[in-house]
Amino acid sequence: MGVNSVRPGEIYTHMCKLVGIPSQQAMRELFKDNAPLSPHAGESMDIAYGYLYLASDESKFVTGTELIIDGGWSAK
């Protein structure tokens, strides 16, 4: 049996304020050229829905996969 994993990209959280990114808009601007889904800044719920899928019956036949939730960052 394999192990499923979630690989999140840059996500705007309250911790961003601690490192000098004051808002989602500022994060969008900072990463605007790095992810194809820009200008959307990743949010906590974007990642939570991935975990929800893996915990649900809809993924009962999914195993050994990496769920990449990064707005296309790794695809560029």
Side-chain angles (χ1 to χ4, degrees):
M1 180 184 297
V3 175
N4 296 319
S5 66
V6 175
R7 293 178 47 194
E10 287 70 26
I11 304 300
Y12 184 79
T13 65
H14 294 291
M15 187 173 264
C16 292
K17 292 177 183 178
L18 297 175
V19 296
I21 304 172
S23 66
Q24 281 189 311
Q25 180 60 34
M27 187 164 176
R28 284 186 203 108
E29 191 62 32
L30 185 63
F31 294 108
K32 69 181 177 185
D33 297 326
N34 295 327
L37 292 183
S38 290
H40 175 74
E43 302 170 6
S44 314
M45 289 307 296
D46 295 325
I47 306 306
Y49 285 129
Y51 281 110
L52 182 62
Y53 165 71
L54 290 175
S56 72
D57 287 339
E58 281 78 15
S59 70
K60 66 183 176 192
F61 205 60
V62 176
T63 185
T65 191
E66 295 179 1
L67 185 56
I68 302 169
I69 308 173
D70 67 358
W73 179 292
S74 60
K76 69 173 205 147

